[in-house]
Amino acid sequence: MSTYIDTMHPERHAPYDDIPRDVRDFLNYLGAILNRSPRTVNAYYIDLRLFFKFLLRERGAVPADSAFDDIDIRGIDTATIASVTQADIYEYLYFLKNERENEPAARARKLTSIKSFYRFMTVKSNRLSEDPAKDISIPSLKKALPKYLSLEESIDLLKNIQSDFYERDYCILTLFLNCGMRLSELVAIDLKDFQEDTIRIVGKGNKERLVYLNAACLDALKHYRTARAALGNLQEPQALFVSRRTGKRLSARRVQQIVERCLQAAGLSGKGYSPHKLRHTAATLMYRHGNVDMLELKEILGHAHVSTTEIYTHINTDKLRKAAKSTPLSKISYIEPERPEATSEEAAEDQGQND
């Protein structure tokens, strides 16, 4: 089974030799025409590969007990793709929920892959006349509030780093907590991306943005670069974050492990924190303590739409608390009810109950 993305060289991929030609053409369209990132294209590749393997199993083209890794979908032609019905897609979504136990967000993403593929087949390449996925709605998803470290937890994390390459790992955490960059953005940084107090970041959809560095980031980078220069012969000298042992660029998984180890050392493990939660932390601290507005935060985080950034408006508890106190009724204390004096008849009745 081919693997689309090369984690050490994200711009490269293996040949699409285990999928139908139509799917291969669609992935090439995503990468070459729509300029989607390799990781995005890889997600479509995995989703569509699973869908067509399910289709062959569901239609009895392979034994019912076949492992998905063993199902060969290379022979699926355009006619088979055209034969897919709305019912097939609903059956697949049911399978994802009950057999694969996919959460709603994962099912929605996989449905999006199918819808995008059939739109390509019908609208962009005119290979099909009917789109079975067109009228299937993607369910609205509940927006969860982002999980983030408090200011105190962030400081504890930086104060409790245990590492055999302290300067590098301190710099990684400092950039995460101050700049709000994604994990994939951090591992892709090259030395040439720096200019004075900025880093050029390549985000989702290969969109570039400048991230400004504060004093803490510049100081951490200064110490790390000094330690990095002492490593000697580097296998990938252009990469900012490298392995002390191999001299190669750190992979995303390795950075995840570094963050996990540092969280554990700070007593913050088991709370659901991750590199992506550090990104949320940076955004939250900027919004709550730095008076950064939504449009500014959108540019810093590299969001395509401000609606994505607006989730951070729900976590500024200080502003919500101040708003609740701002109403003129907020200072009115509990008012005791006026109790009329009991009539002689009511008093006699009460007396009878007491007796």
Side-chain angles (χ1 to χ4, degrees):
M1 182 179 297
S2 68
T3 300
Y4 170 77
I5 197 168
D6 182 338
T7 56
M8 299 306 298
H9 301 282
E11 74 281 0
R12 305 177 190 171
H13 61 78
Y16 300 121
D17 57 4
D18 63 344
I19 55 177
R21 179 55 192 255
D22 286 319
V23 179
R24 187 183 311 147
D25 291 345
F26 168 63
L27 298 180
N28 286 334
Y29 166 77
L30 288 178
I33 305 302
L34 297 188
N35 203 30
R36 296 291 186 260
S37 71
R39 292 184 184 278
T40 297
V41 178
N42 186 50
Y44 280 97
Y45 163 67
I46 293 171
D47 291 346
L48 292 171
R49 187 176 60 184
L50 178 63
F51 172 65
F52 285 111
K53 289 186 177 205
F54 167 82
L55 186 71
L56 291 185
R57 194 184 75 166
E58 188 68 13
R59 292 185 174 183
V62 297
D65 60 350
S66 296
F68 277 96
D69 286 348
D70 298 332
I71 299 176
D72 187 350
I73 61 174
R74 289 175 295 180
I76 291 180
D77 56 14
T78 305
T80 303
I81 293 172
S83 70
V84 170
T85 65
Q86 190 179 80
D88 289 326
I89 299 174
Y90 279 129
E91 193 68 31
Y92 176 62
L93 295 174
Y94 182 82
F95 153 79
L96 292 175
K97 179 180 179 181
N98 292 278
E99 190 169 326
R100 286 282 172 130
E101 298 183 346
N102 282 181
E103 295 295 327
R107 299 198 302 271
R109 192 201 73 225
K110 290 172 181 175
L111 175 57
T112 297
S113 296
I114 295 171
K115 290 173 75 70
S116 298
F117 171 67
Y118 274 98
R119 178 172 173 78
F120 166 78
M121 293 293 289
T122 54
V123 178
K124 299 300 180 180
S125 64
N126 296 314
R127 300 182 191 188
L128 300 181
S129 58
E130 298 294 331
D131 180 353
K134 181 178 63 175
D135 295 326
I136 300 179
S137 300
I138 296 175
S140 58
L141 300 175
K142 179 182 177 181
K143 285 190 175 182
L145 294 179
K147 185 183 287 289
Y148 60 93
L149 281 71
S150 68
L151 176 59
E152 292 74 19
E153 287 176 327
S154 301
I155 295 171
D156 285 343
L157 180 58
L158 291 172
K159 285 183 175 180
N160 290 279
I161 295 173
Q162 295 181 9
S163 168
D164 59 356
F165 200 169
Y166 178 86
E167 295 85 356
R168 180 197 65 192
D169 297 351
Y170 181 90
C171 187
I172 287 173
L173 291 174
T174 299
L175 291 183
F176 271 139
L177 290 170
N178 284 273
C179 301
M181 60 185 65
R182 300 177 177 93
L183 173 60
S184 59
E185 295 170 347
L186 180 131
V187 297
I189 296 174
D190 289 334
L191 295 179
K192 62 179 175 56
D193 295 329
F194 290 90
Q195 185 171 359
E196 296 180 352
D197 63 343
T198 65
I199 311 177
R200 182 186 67 92
I201 295 292
V202 180
K204 285 187 175 181
N206 287 327
K207 294 178 181 177
E208 293 187 6
R209 71 181 189 278
L210 283 181
V211 172
Y212 288 85
L213 302 170
N214 59 25
C217 293
L218 293 171
D219 190 45
L221 282 163
K222 176 184 175 182
H223 284 85
Y224 168 55
R225 283 187 168 184
T226 300
R228 182 184 179 280
L231 294 179
N233 187 28
L234 297 176
Q235 296 297 311
E236 296 188 65
Q238 78 284 358
L240 174 62
F241 292 114
V242 295
S243 166
R244 165 174 267 173
R245 181 176 59 85
T246 66
K248 294 182 178 180
R249 184 189 302 273
L250 290 183
S251 67
R253 179 56 192 144
R254 182 69 188 110
V255 172
Q256 288 176 326
Q257 292 171 341
I258 290 169
V259 172
E260 288 166 4
R261 184 182 64 219
C262 293
L263 287 167
Q264 186 174 14
L268 297 171
S269 60
K271 296 187 176 184
Y273 296 146
S274 65
H276 198 67
K277 300 306 183 289
L278 300 188
R279 169 173 161 85
H280 288 322
T281 299
T284 303
L285 294 180
M286 287 181 203
Y287 185 72
R288 294 186 65 177
H289 300 280
N291 296 318
V292 179
D293 65 32
M294 282 295 103
L295 291 179
E296 292 168 337
L297 200 57
K298 169 184 172 294
E299 294 301 318
I300 292 170
L301 297 176
H303 286 160
H305 306 287
V306 74
S307 59
T308 308
T309 317
E310 284 175 348
I311 190 169
Y312 295 103
T313 64
H314 302 299
I315 55 181
N316 193 336
T317 54
D318 292 337
K319 285 189 176 181
L320 294 178
R321 187 178 291 110
K322 183 177 180 181
K325 291 180 178 179
S326 66
T327 169
L329 296 176
S330 67
K331 297 180 180 179
I332 297 180
S333 301
Y334 177 74
I335 302 174
E336 293 285 351
E338 293 185 8
R339 302 182 188 277
E341 294 183 7
T343 64
S344 58
E345 186 176 324
E346 289 171 334
E349 187 174 310
D350 289 343
Q351 182 64 33
Q353 289 177 348
N354 291 333
D355 292 343

